[in-house]
Amino acid sequence: LEPLPGTTLHLMHHQISNTPRIYIHDTPGVMLLKDKADPERNLKLCALGIVPEYQLKGGAMIVCDYVLYRLNMARQFQYVDVLGIKEPTNDVKWLTNYIAAEQGTYQAGLARPGAGIDWFLKQFREGNFGPFCLDHIPTPEELERLRGLRYL
């Protein structure tokens, strides 16, 4: 098995159980990014590092922007303290350039935002911006309403 989707080169199978006998197959080219009706699912998978960012149109910058948006919407501003900036920001380009400049990653005399993107996503994935769930967690009221729908 390859560590990331999209990197498998050969069809492989592995037995994972004897009783009952169960096999898993790893096949090249089979990806989860097929449902264009749910682009947020694809962003979540990339944000968590399950699917490589290059699989999305817009790449890592879009994923970084999505993570920043979600952190801000949840009012989870630990990234402000981690980065040592004055206040939260919605400007992912400014943020990634700031990170790159702070790290001293320059190319042709300019801060290289790709390094800032990589660093920001790595910090998010390692939990350095605090615990965070990208999925909606239902409130007790929502759970009760959903339980009631089962019996209709």
Side-chain angles (χ1 to χ4, degrees), residues 49-69:
I50 296 167
V51 172
E53 296 89 14
Y54 66 81
Q55 296 286 344
L56 282 182
K57 185 177 184 178
M61 179 64 90
I62 297 297
V63 177
C64 191
D65 194 27
Y66 173 73
V67 169
L68 181 62
Y69 165 77

Side-chain angles (χ1 to χ4, degrees), residues 2-9 26-32 50-52 54-55:
E2 296 297 325
L4 287 174
T7 59
T8 302
L9 300 175
D26 191 11
T27 60
V30 177
M31 296 282 299
L32 296 171
I50 296 167
V51 172
Y54 66 81
Q55 296 286 344

